[in-house]
PDB file of all heavy atoms in Angstrom:
ATOM      1  N   PRO B  96      84.020 137.156 122.484  1.00  0.00           N
ATOM      2  CA  PRO B  96      83.024 136.088 122.648  1.00  0.00           C
ATOM      3  C   PRO B  96      81.663 136.483 122.071  1.00  0.00           C
ATOM      4  O   PRO B  96      81.303 137.658 122.044  1.00  0.00           O
ATOM      5  CB  PRO B  96      82.943 135.922 124.167  1.00  0.00           C
ATOM      6  CG  PRO B  96      83.398 137.216 124.722  1.00  0.00           C
ATOM      7  CD  PRO B  96      84.425 137.760 123.753  1.00  0.00           C
ATOM      8  N   ILE B  97      80.955 135.487 121.593  1.00  0.00           N
ATOM      9  CA  ILE B  97      79.576 135.654 121.135  1.00  0.00           C
ATOM     10  C   ILE B  97      78.664 135.418 122.341  1.00  0.00           C
ATOM     11  O   ILE B  97      78.878 134.474 123.104  1.00  0.00           O
ATOM     12  CB  ILE B  97      79.269 134.621 120.035  1.00  0.00           C
ATOM     13  CG1 ILE B  97      80.188 134.864 118.837  1.00  0.00           C
ATOM     14  CG2 ILE B  97      77.798 134.657 119.647  1.00  0.00           C
ATOM     15  CD1 ILE B  97      80.317 133.656 117.928  1.00  0.00           C
ATOM     16  N   VAL B  99      75.170 134.254 123.629  1.00  0.00           N
ATOM     17  CA  VAL B  99      74.041 133.454 123.156  1.00  0.00           C
ATOM     18  C   VAL B  99      72.975 133.415 124.250  1.00  0.00           C
ATOM     19  O   VAL B  99      73.228 132.897 125.345  1.00  0.00           O
ATOM     20  CB  VAL B  99      74.487 132.012 122.815  1.00  0.00           C
ATOM     21  CG1 VAL B  99      73.306 131.213 122.269  1.00  0.00           C
ATOM     22  CG2 VAL B  99      75.650 132.022 121.824  1.00  0.00           C
ATOM     23  N   VAL B 101      69.714 131.759 125.369  1.00  0.00           N
ATOM     24  CA  VAL B 101      68.964 130.545 125.054  1.00  0.00           C
ATOM     25  C   VAL B 101      67.543 130.679 125.604  1.00  0.00           C
ATOM     26  O   VAL B 101      67.351 130.857 126.813  1.00  0.00           O
ATOM     27  CB  VAL B 101      69.675 129.311 125.645  1.00  0.00           C
ATOM     28  CG1 VAL B 101      68.906 128.045 125.288  1.00  0.00           C
ATOM     29  CG2 VAL B 101      71.110 129.231 125.133  1.00  0.00           C
ATOM     30  N   ARG B 125      73.439 136.234 119.672  1.00  0.00           N
ATOM     31  CA  ARG B 125      72.649 135.184 119.026  1.00  0.00           C
ATOM     32  C   ARG B 125      71.519 134.767 119.959  1.00  0.00           C
ATOM     33  O   ARG B 125      71.706 134.709 121.181  1.00  0.00           O
ATOM     34  CB  ARG B 125      73.546 133.981 118.683  1.00  0.00           C
ATOM     35  CG  ARG B 125      74.637 134.361 117.689  1.00  0.00           C
ATOM     36  CD  ARG B 125      75.498 133.182 117.271  1.00  0.00           C
ATOM     37  NE  ARG B 125      76.516 133.629 116.332  1.00  0.00           N
ATOM     38  CZ  ARG B 125      77.470 132.850 115.817  1.00  0.00           C
ATOM     39  NH1 ARG B 125      77.523 131.560 116.159  1.00  0.00           N
ATOM     40  NH2 ARG B 125      78.344 133.330 114.970  1.00  0.00           N
ATOM     41  N   THR B 158      70.351 125.396 120.289  1.00  0.00           N
ATOM     42  CA  THR B 158      71.630 125.875 120.812  1.00  0.00           C
ATOM     43  C   THR B 158      72.778 125.323 119.975  1.00  0.00           C
ATOM     44  O   THR B 158      73.739 126.040 119.680  1.00  0.00           O
ATOM     45  CB  THR B 158      71.794 125.446 122.294  1.00  0.00           C
ATOM     46  OG1 THR B 158      70.641 125.848 123.011  1.00  0.00           O
ATOM     47  CG2 THR B 158      73.022 126.074 122.912  1.00  0.00           C
ATOM     48  N   ALA B 159      72.659 124.078 119.568  1.00  0.00           N
ATOM     49  CA  ALA B 159      73.729 123.461 118.778  1.00  0.00           C
ATOM     50  C   ALA B 159      73.974 124.253 117.493  1.00  0.00           C
ATOM     51  O   ALA B 159      75.124 124.488 117.103  1.00  0.00           O
ATOM     52  CB  ALA B 159      73.374 122.012 118.454  1.00  0.00           C
ATOM     53  N   GLU B 160      72.896 124.683 116.829  1.00  0.00           N
ATOM     54  CA  GLU B 160      73.072 125.477 115.609  1.00  0.00           C
ATOM     55  C   GLU B 160      73.692 126.836 115.923  1.00  0.00           C
ATOM     56  O   GLU B 160      74.502 127.357 115.153  1.00  0.00           O
ATOM     57  CB  GLU B 160      71.722 125.673 114.916  1.00  0.00           C
ATOM     58  CG  GLU B 160      71.174 124.395 114.291  1.00  0.00           C
ATOM     59  CD  GLU B 160      69.723 124.575 113.843  1.00  0.00           C
ATOM     60  OE1 GLU B 160      68.817 124.400 114.687  1.00  0.00           O
ATOM     61  OE2 GLU B 160      69.498 124.892 112.664  1.00  0.00           O
ATOM     62  N   ALA B 161      73.315 127.404 117.048  1.00  0.00           N
ATOM     63  CA  ALA B 161      73.812 128.742 117.394  1.00  0.00           C
ATOM     64  C   ALA B 161      75.317 128.747 117.638  1.00  0.00           C
ATOM     65  O   ALA B 161      75.974 129.765 117.439  1.00  0.00           O
ATOM     66  CB  ALA B 161      73.084 129.266 118.634  1.00  0.00           C
ATOM     67  N   VAL B 162      75.863 127.625 118.061  1.00  0.00           N
ATOM     68  CA  VAL B 162      77.291 127.594 118.395  1.00  0.00           C
ATOM     69  C   VAL B 162      78.084 126.686 117.460  1.00  0.00           C
ATOM     70  O   VAL B 162      79.220 126.307 117.759  1.00  0.00           O
ATOM     71  CB  VAL B 162      77.516 127.150 119.862  1.00  0.00           C
ATOM     72  CG1 VAL B 162      76.879 128.149 120.815  1.00  0.00           C
ATOM     73  CG2 VAL B 162      76.979 125.746 120.097  1.00  0.00           C
ATOM     74  N   ALA B 163      77.479 126.367 116.312  1.00  0.00           N
ATOM     75  CA  ALA B 163      78.117 125.402 115.409  1.00  0.00           C
ATOM     76  C   ALA B 163      79.507 125.845 114.967  1.00  0.00           C
ATOM     77  O   ALA B 163      80.378 125.016 114.715  1.00  0.00           O
ATOM     78  CB  ALA B 163      77.218 125.159 114.205  1.00  0.00           C
ATOM     79  N   ASP B 164      79.733 127.149 114.869  1.00  0.00           N
ATOM     80  CA  ASP B 164      81.035 127.644 114.394  1.00  0.00           C
ATOM     81  C   ASP B 164      81.991 127.985 115.539  1.00  0.00           C
ATOM     82  O   ASP B 164      83.048 128.569 115.311  1.00  0.00           O
ATOM     83  CB  ASP B 164      80.833 128.874 113.507  1.00  0.00           C
ATOM     84  CG  ASP B 164      80.120 130.007 114.246  1.00  0.00           C
ATOM     85  OD1 ASP B 164      79.493 129.739 115.294  1.00  0.00           O
ATOM     86  OD2 ASP B 164      80.183 131.154 113.776  1.00  0.00           O
ATOM     87  N   CYS B 165      81.619 127.627 116.762  1.00  0.00           N
ATOM     88  CA  CYS B 165      82.440 128.021 117.919  1.00  0.00           C
ATOM     89  C   CYS B 165      83.287 126.861 118.416  1.00  0.00           C
ATOM     90  O   CYS B 165      82.850 125.715 118.438  1.00  0.00           O
ATOM     91  CB  CYS B 165      81.540 128.500 119.056  1.00  0.00           C
ATOM     92  SG  CYS B 165      80.651 129.993 118.608  1.00  0.00           S
ATOM     93  N   ALA B 166      84.491 127.196 118.842  1.00  0.00           N
ATOM     94  CA  ALA B 166      85.400 126.164 119.339  1.00  0.00           C
ATOM     95  C   ALA B 166      85.276 126.002 120.855  1.00  0.00           C
ATOM     96  O   ALA B 166      85.561 124.941 121.393  1.00  0.00           O
ATOM     97  CB  ALA B 166      86.836 126.515 118.971  1.00  0.00           C
ATOM     98  N   HIS B 167      84.836 127.067 121.511  1.00  0.00           N
ATOM     99  CA  HIS B 167      84.804 127.033 122.976  1.00  0.00           C
ATOM    100  C   HIS B 167      83.451 127.542 123.441  1.00  0.00           C
ATOM    101  O   HIS B 167      83.080 128.674 123.136  1.00  0.00           O
ATOM    102  CB  HIS B 167      85.887 127.921 123.576  1.00  0.00           C
ATOM    103  CG  HIS B 167      87.227 127.658 122.972  1.00  0.00           C
ATOM    104  ND1 HIS B 167      87.959 126.542 123.253  1.00  0.00           N
ATOM    105  CD2 HIS B 167      87.933 128.358 122.060  1.00  0.00           C
ATOM    106  CE1 HIS B 167      89.073 126.564 122.551  1.00  0.00           C
ATOM    107  NE2 HIS B 167      89.083 127.661 121.814  1.00  0.00           N
ATOM    108  N   ILE B 168      82.753 126.724 124.175  1.00  0.00           N
ATOM    109  CA  ILE B 168      81.410 127.108 124.605  1.00  0.00           C
ATOM    110  C   ILE B 168      81.361 127.059 126.131  1.00  0.00           C
ATOM    111  O   ILE B 168      81.749 126.061 126.750  1.00  0.00           O
ATOM    112  CB  ILE B 168      80.374 126.165 123.977  1.00  0.00           C
ATOM    113  CG1 ILE B 168      80.468 126.294 122.455  1.00  0.00           C
ATOM    114  CG2 ILE B 168      78.974 126.496 124.465  1.00  0.00           C
ATOM    115  CD1 ILE B 168      80.076 125.046 121.731  1.00  0.00           C
ATOM    116  N   TYR B 169      80.906 128.169 126.698  1.00  0.00           N
ATOM    117  CA  TYR B 169      80.808 128.294 128.150  1.00  0.00           C
ATOM    118  C   TYR B 169      79.328 128.362 128.531  1.00  0.00           C
ATOM    119  O   TYR B 169      78.586 129.150 127.944  1.00  0.00           O
ATOM    120  CB  TYR B 169      81.514 129.564 128.634  1.00  0.00           C
ATOM    121  CG  TYR B 169      82.987 129.555 128.297  1.00  0.00           C
ATOM    122  CD1 TYR B 169      83.443 130.006 127.058  1.00  0.00           C
ATOM    123  CD2 TYR B 169      83.922 129.068 129.199  1.00  0.00           C
ATOM    124  CE1 TYR B 169      84.797 129.979 126.737  1.00  0.00           C
ATOM    125  CE2 TYR B 169      85.266 129.028 128.891  1.00  0.00           C
ATOM    126  CZ  TYR B 169      85.705 129.483 127.657  1.00  0.00           C
ATOM    127  OH  TYR B 169      87.035 129.435 127.340  1.00  0.00           O
ATOM    128  N   ALA B 170      78.942 127.563 129.497  1.00  0.00           N
ATOM    129  CA  ALA B 170      77.563 127.580 129.983  1.00  0.00           C
ATOM    130  C   ALA B 170      77.518 128.368 131.281  1.00  0.00           C
ATOM    131  O   ALA B 170      78.122 127.964 132.277  1.00  0.00           O
ATOM    132  CB  ALA B 170      77.076 126.155 130.210  1.00  0.00           C
ATOM    133  N   THR B 171      76.801 129.495 131.261  1.00  0.00           N
ATOM    134  CA  THR B 171      76.696 130.305 132.472  1.00  0.00           C
ATOM    135  C   THR B 171      75.634 129.699 133.374  1.00  0.00           C
ATOM    136  O   THR B 171      74.433 129.802 133.089  1.00  0.00           O
ATOM    137  CB  THR B 171      76.333 131.756 132.121  1.00  0.00           C
ATOM    138  OG1 THR B 171      77.242 132.205 131.131  1.00  0.00           O
ATOM    139  CG2 THR B 171      76.428 132.651 133.325  1.00  0.00           C
ATOM    140  N   LYS B 180      82.400 119.019 134.324  1.00  0.00           N
ATOM    141  CA  LYS B 180      83.117 120.046 133.566  1.00  0.00           C
ATOM    142  C   LYS B 180      83.789 121.021 134.524  1.00  0.00           C
ATOM    143  O   LYS B 180      83.294 121.266 135.616  1.00  0.00           O
ATOM    144  CB  LYS B 180      82.133 120.789 132.667  1.00  0.00           C
ATOM    145  CG  LYS B 180      81.521 119.886 131.608  1.00  0.00           C
ATOM    146  CD  LYS B 180      80.372 120.562 130.896  1.00  0.00           C
ATOM    147  CE  LYS B 180      79.539 119.548 130.140  1.00  0.00           C
ATOM    148  NZ  LYS B 180      80.157 119.110 128.894  1.00  0.00           N
ATOM    149  N   PRO B 181      84.898 121.617 134.079  1.00  0.00           N
ATOM    150  CA  PRO B 181      85.542 122.600 134.949  1.00  0.00           C
ATOM    151  C   PRO B 181      84.652 123.827 135.154  1.00  0.00           C
ATOM    152  O   PRO B 181      83.862 124.183 134.274  1.00  0.00           O
ATOM    153  CB  PRO B 181      86.813 122.965 134.186  1.00  0.00           C
ATOM    154  CG  PRO B 181      86.605 122.512 132.789  1.00  0.00           C
ATOM    155  CD  PRO B 181      85.613 121.384 132.823  1.00  0.00           C
ATOM    156  N   LEU B 183      84.589 127.838 135.875  1.00  0.00           N
ATOM    157  CA  LEU B 183      85.436 129.019 135.756  1.00  0.00           C
ATOM    158  C   LEU B 183      84.708 130.264 136.238  1.00  0.00           C
ATOM    159  O   LEU B 183      83.492 130.379 136.087  1.00  0.00           O
ATOM    160  CB  LEU B 183      85.849 129.233 134.293  1.00  0.00           C
ATOM    161  CG  LEU B 183      86.521 128.059 133.576  1.00  0.00           C
ATOM    162  CD1 LEU B 183      86.823 128.428 132.128  1.00  0.00           C
ATOM    163  CD2 LEU B 183      87.801 127.673 134.289  1.00  0.00           C
ATOM    164  N   ALA B 188      87.405 132.704 132.559  1.00  0.00           N
ATOM    165  CA  ALA B 188      86.877 132.446 131.217  1.00  0.00           C
ATOM    166  C   ALA B 188      87.403 133.490 130.240  1.00  0.00           C
ATOM    167  O   ALA B 188      87.811 133.162 129.114  1.00  0.00           O
ATOM    168  CB  ALA B 188      85.346 132.448 131.247  1.00  0.00           C
ATOM    169  N   GLU B 191      90.873 132.744 129.187  1.00  0.00           N
ATOM    170  CA  GLU B 191      90.897 131.647 128.207  1.00  0.00           C
ATOM    171  C   GLU B 191      90.479 132.133 126.830  1.00  0.00           C
ATOM    172  O   GLU B 191      91.089 131.803 125.817  1.00  0.00           O
ATOM    173  CB  GLU B 191      89.914 130.550 128.624  1.00  0.00           C
ATOM    174  CG  GLU B 191      90.503 129.462 129.459  1.00  0.00           C
ATOM    175  CD  GLU B 191      89.582 128.237 129.509  1.00  0.00           C
ATOM    176  OE1 GLU B 191      88.611 128.139 128.704  1.00  0.00           O
ATOM    177  OE2 GLU B 191      89.842 127.386 130.346  1.00  0.00           O
ATOM    178  N   ILE B 192      89.404 132.902 126.804  1.00  0.00           N
ATOM    179  CA  ILE B 192      88.816 133.327 125.530  1.00  0.00           C
ATOM    180  C   ILE B 192      89.821 134.118 124.697  1.00  0.00           C
ATOM    181  O   ILE B 192      89.909 133.942 123.488  1.00  0.00           O
ATOM    182  CB  ILE B 192      87.530 134.152 125.796  1.00  0.00           C
ATOM    183  CG1 ILE B 192      86.402 133.215 126.247  1.00  0.00           C
ATOM    184  CG2 ILE B 192      87.119 134.958 124.569  1.00  0.00           C
ATOM    185  CD1 ILE B 192      85.184 133.921 126.807  1.00  0.00           C
ATOM    186  N   THR B 195      93.095 131.600 123.558  1.00  0.00           N
ATOM    187  CA  THR B 195      93.014 130.363 122.786  1.00  0.00           C
ATOM    188  C   THR B 195      92.444 130.663 121.407  1.00  0.00           C
ATOM    189  O   THR B 195      91.563 131.514 121.265  1.00  0.00           O
ATOM    190  CB  THR B 195      92.107 129.328 123.487  1.00  0.00           C
ATOM    191  OG1 THR B 195      90.889 129.959 123.846  1.00  0.00           O
ATOM    192  CG2 THR B 195      92.776 128.761 124.709  1.00  0.00           C
ATOM    193  N   GLY B 197      90.267 130.208 117.963  1.00  0.00           N
ATOM    194  CA  GLY B 197      88.899 129.749 117.738  1.00  0.00           C
ATOM    195  C   GLY B 197      87.908 130.653 118.445  1.00  0.00           C
ATOM    196  O   GLY B 197      88.230 131.305 119.439  1.00  0.00           O
ATOM    197  N   ARG B 198      86.703 130.713 117.908  1.00  0.00           N
ATOM    198  CA  ARG B 198      85.697 131.595 118.488  1.00  0.00           C
ATOM    199  C   ARG B 198      85.084 130.994 119.737  1.00  0.00           C
ATOM    200  O   ARG B 198      84.950 129.782 119.868  1.00  0.00           O
ATOM    201  CB  ARG B 198      84.577 131.849 117.453  1.00  0.00           C
ATOM    202  CG  ARG B 198      85.133 132.447 116.156  1.00  0.00           C
ATOM    203  CD  ARG B 198      84.233 133.532 115.643  1.00  0.00           C
ATOM    204  NE  ARG B 198      84.071 134.583 116.640  1.00  0.00           N
ATOM    205  CZ  ARG B 198      83.148 135.532 116.565  1.00  0.00           C
ATOM    206  NH1 ARG B 198      82.300 135.542 115.559  1.00  0.00           N
ATOM    207  NH2 ARG B 198      83.067 136.465 117.472  1.00  0.00           N
ATOM    208  N   SER B 199      84.694 131.861 120.642  1.00  0.00           N
ATOM    209  CA  SER B 199      84.074 131.419 121.885  1.00  0.00           C
ATOM    210  C   SER B 199      82.653 131.935 121.973  1.00  0.00           C
ATOM    211  O   SER B 199      82.342 133.021 121.468  1.00  0.00           O
ATOM    212  CB  SER B 199      84.857 131.943 123.092  1.00  0.00           C
ATOM    213  OG  SER B 199      86.166 131.426 123.106  1.00  0.00           O
ATOM    214  N   ALA B 200      81.801 131.134 122.607  1.00  0.00           N
ATOM    215  CA  ALA B 200      80.417 131.558 122.846  1.00  0.00           C
ATOM    216  C   ALA B 200      80.121 131.386 124.325  1.00  0.00           C
ATOM    217  O   ALA B 200      80.580 130.432 124.957  1.00  0.00           O
ATOM    218  CB  ALA B 200      79.454 130.709 122.026  1.00  0.00           C
ATOM    219  N   ILE B 201      79.377 132.335 124.877  1.00  0.00           N
ATOM    220  CA  ILE B 201      78.931 132.209 126.265  1.00  0.00           C
ATOM    221  C   ILE B 201      77.413 132.072 126.250  1.00  0.00           C
ATOM    222  O   ILE B 201      76.712 132.946 125.727  1.00  0.00           O
ATOM    223  CB  ILE B 201      79.346 133.428 127.112  1.00  0.00           C
ATOM    224  CG1 ILE B 201      80.848 133.726 126.927  1.00  0.00           C
ATOM    225  CG2 ILE B 201      79.043 133.188 128.582  1.00  0.00           C
ATOM    226  CD1 ILE B 201      81.340 134.926 127.718  1.00  0.00           C
ATOM    227  N   LEU B 202      76.926 130.978 126.788  1.00  0.00           N
ATOM    228  CA  LEU B 202      75.485 130.713 126.815  1.00  0.00           C
ATOM    229  C   LEU B 202      74.867 131.241 128.105  1.00  0.00           C
ATOM    230  O   LEU B 202      75.402 131.020 129.189  1.00  0.00           O
ATOM    231  CB  LEU B 202      75.211 129.207 126.764  1.00  0.00           C
ATOM    232  CG  LEU B 202      75.875 128.355 125.686  1.00  0.00           C
ATOM    233  CD1 LEU B 202      75.384 126.903 125.815  1.00  0.00           C
ATOM    234  CD2 LEU B 202      75.551 128.906 124.307  1.00  0.00           C
ATOM    235  N   PHE B 203      73.725 131.915 127.943  1.00  0.00           N
ATOM    236  CA  PHE B 203      72.948 132.374 129.092  1.00  0.00           C
ATOM    237  C   PHE B 203      71.534 131.808 128.966  1.00  0.00           C
ATOM    238  O   PHE B 203      70.928 131.911 127.894  1.00  0.00           O
ATOM    239  CB  PHE B 203      72.885 133.902 129.135  1.00  0.00           C
ATOM    240  CG  PHE B 203      74.225 134.551 129.325  1.00  0.00           C
ATOM    241  CD1 PHE B 203      75.041 134.816 128.236  1.00  0.00           C
ATOM    242  CD2 PHE B 203      74.681 134.885 130.591  1.00  0.00           C
ATOM    243  CE1 PHE B 203      76.280 135.418 128.404  1.00  0.00           C
ATOM    244  CE2 PHE B 203      75.923 135.486 130.771  1.00  0.00           C
ATOM    245  CZ  PHE B 203      76.724 135.752 129.678  1.00  0.00           C
ATOM    246  N   LEU B 210      69.773 127.559 131.982  1.00  0.00           N
ATOM    247  CA  LEU B 210      70.144 126.633 130.908  1.00  0.00           C
ATOM    248  C   LEU B 210      69.639 125.226 131.233  1.00  0.00           C
ATOM    249  O   LEU B 210      69.556 124.834 132.395  1.00  0.00           O
ATOM    250  CB  LEU B 210      71.659 126.604 130.740  1.00  0.00           C
ATOM    251  CG  LEU B 210      72.273 127.869 130.141  1.00  0.00           C
ATOM    252  CD1 LEU B 210      73.796 127.797 130.196  1.00  0.00           C
ATOM    253  CD2 LEU B 210      71.802 128.092 128.703  1.00  0.00           C
ATOM    254  N   ASP B 213      70.839 119.878 128.353  1.00  0.00           N
ATOM    255  CA  ASP B 213      71.375 119.686 127.001  1.00  0.00           C
ATOM    256  C   ASP B 213      72.292 120.846 126.602  1.00  0.00           C
ATOM    257  O   ASP B 213      73.255 120.646 125.864  1.00  0.00           O
ATOM    258  CB  ASP B 213      70.232 119.605 125.983  1.00  0.00           C
ATOM    259  CG  ASP B 213      69.500 118.287 126.094  1.00  0.00           C
ATOM    260  OD1 ASP B 213      70.002 117.389 126.796  1.00  0.00           O
ATOM    261  OD2 ASP B 213      68.423 118.166 125.479  1.00  0.00           O
ATOM    262  N   ASP B 214      71.971 122.043 127.053  1.00  0.00           N
ATOM    263  CA  ASP B 214      72.824 123.198 126.756  1.00  0.00           C
ATOM    264  C   ASP B 214      74.159 123.047 127.472  1.00  0.00           C
ATOM    265  O   ASP B 214      75.216 123.366 126.924  1.00  0.00           O
ATOM    266  CB  ASP B 214      72.148 124.496 127.206  1.00  0.00           C
ATOM    267  CG  ASP B 214      70.773 124.672 126.601  1.00  0.00           C
ATOM    268  OD1 ASP B 214      70.620 124.435 125.388  1.00  0.00           O
ATOM    269  OD2 ASP B 214      69.849 125.038 127.340  1.00  0.00           O
ATOM    270  N   VAL B 215      74.109 122.579 128.697  1.00  0.00           N
ATOM    271  CA  VAL B 215      75.339 122.402 129.466  1.00  0.00           C
ATOM    272  C   VAL B 215      76.185 121.290 128.840  1.00  0.00           C
ATOM    273  O   VAL B 215      77.409 121.384 128.771  1.00  0.00           O
ATOM    274  CB  VAL B 215      75.016 122.088 130.946  1.00  0.00           C
ATOM    275  CG1 VAL B 215      76.300 121.842 131.745  1.00  0.00           C
ATOM    276  CG2 VAL B 215      74.230 123.246 131.558  1.00  0.00           C
ATOM    277  N   ALA B 216      75.513 120.261 128.323  1.00  0.00           N
ATOM    278  CA  ALA B 216      76.245 119.134 127.721  1.00  0.00           C
ATOM    279  C   ALA B 216      77.043 119.581 126.495  1.00  0.00           C
ATOM    280  O   ALA B 216      78.076 119.015 126.162  1.00  0.00           O
ATOM    281  CB  ALA B 216      75.272 118.018 127.347  1.00  0.00           C
ATOM    282  N   LEU B 217      76.549 120.613 125.812  1.00  0.00           N
ATOM    283  CA  LEU B 217      77.250 121.160 124.643  1.00  0.00           C
ATOM    284  C   LEU B 217      78.528 121.901 125.018  1.00  0.00           C
ATOM    285  O   LEU B 217      79.354 122.182 124.162  1.00  0.00           O
ATOM    286  CB  LEU B 217      76.370 122.232 123.988  1.00  0.00           C
ATOM    287  CG  LEU B 217      75.334 121.858 122.965  1.00  0.00           C
ATOM    288  CD1 LEU B 217      74.581 123.103 122.549  1.00  0.00           C
ATOM    289  CD2 LEU B 217      76.022 121.214 121.775  1.00  0.00           C
ATOM    290  N   SER B 218      78.630 122.279 126.263  1.00  0.00           N
ATOM    291  CA  SER B 218      79.645 123.259 126.664  1.00  0.00           C
ATOM    292  C   SER B 218      80.900 122.579 127.159  1.00  0.00           C
ATOM    293  O   SER B 218      80.858 121.475 127.702  1.00  0.00           O
ATOM    294  CB  SER B 218      79.089 124.159 127.770  1.00  0.00           C
ATOM    295  OG  SER B 218      77.854 124.707 127.333  1.00  0.00           O
ATOM    296  N   ARG B 219      82.008 123.267 126.965  1.00  0.00           N
ATOM    297  CA  ARG B 219      83.279 122.747 127.417  1.00  0.00           C
ATOM    298  C   ARG B 219      83.488 123.033 128.901  1.00  0.00           C
ATOM    299  O   ARG B 219      84.195 122.305 129.600  1.00  0.00           O
ATOM    300  CB  ARG B 219      84.400 123.413 126.614  1.00  0.00           C
ATOM    301  CG  ARG B 219      85.674 122.610 126.497  1.00  0.00           C
ATOM    302  CD  ARG B 219      86.746 123.365 125.766  1.00  0.00           C
ATOM    303  NE  ARG B 219      87.009 124.662 126.360  1.00  0.00           N
ATOM    304  CZ  ARG B 219      87.509 124.844 127.579  1.00  0.00           C
ATOM    305  NH1 ARG B 219      87.818 123.836 128.324  1.00  0.00           N
ATOM    306  NH2 ARG B 219      87.697 126.058 128.040  1.00  0.00           N
ATOM    307  N   ALA B 220      82.930 124.126 129.352  1.00  0.00           N
ATOM    308  CA  ALA B 220      83.157 124.519 130.740  1.00  0.00           C
ATOM    309  C   ALA B 220      81.937 125.266 131.263  1.00  0.00           C
ATOM    310  O   ALA B 220      81.110 125.746 130.489  1.00  0.00           O
ATOM    311  CB  ALA B 220      84.394 125.409 130.850  1.00  0.00           C
ATOM    312  N   ILE B 221      81.872 125.337 132.574  1.00  0.00           N
ATOM    313  CA  ILE B 221      80.791 126.065 133.235  1.00  0.00           C
ATOM    314  C   ILE B 221      81.345 127.394 133.724  1.00  0.00           C
ATOM    315  O   ILE B 221      82.455 127.451 134.258  1.00  0.00           O
ATOM    316  CB  ILE B 221      80.225 125.217 134.388  1.00  0.00           C
ATOM    317  CG1 ILE B 221      79.425 124.067 133.764  1.00  0.00           C
ATOM    318  CG2 ILE B 221      79.392 126.043 135.341  1.00  0.00           C
ATOM    319  CD1 ILE B 221      78.961 123.050 134.743  1.00  0.00           C
ATOM    320  N   LEU B 222      80.579 128.451 133.489  1.00  0.00           N
ATOM    321  CA  LEU B 222      80.992 129.777 133.927  1.00  0.00           C
ATOM    322  C   LEU B 222      80.052 130.175 135.066  1.00  0.00           C
ATOM    323  O   LEU B 222      78.839 130.247 134.884  1.00  0.00           O
ATOM    324  CB  LEU B 222      80.880 130.737 132.736  1.00  0.00           C
ATOM    325  CG  LEU B 222      81.612 132.077 132.825  1.00  0.00           C
ATOM    326  CD1 LEU B 222      81.616 132.748 131.465  1.00  0.00           C
ATOM    327  CD2 LEU B 222      80.999 132.973 133.855  1.00  0.00           C
TER     328      LEU B 222
END
Side-chain angles (χ1 to χ4, degrees):
Chain B
I97 298 160
V99 182
V101 181
R125 298 183 180 177
T158 308
E160 290 169 275
V162 297
D164 59 342
C165 295
H167 310 286
I168 299 151
Y169 299 86
T171 309
K180 296 170 196 283
L183 306 178
E191 268 196 13
I192 286 168
T195 49
R198 303 221 58 193
S199 297
I201 310 179
L202 309 183
F203 297 86
L210 289 172
D213 287 349
D214 305 315
V215 178
L217 273 177
S218 307
R219 206 183 55 65
I221 288 172
L222 197 169

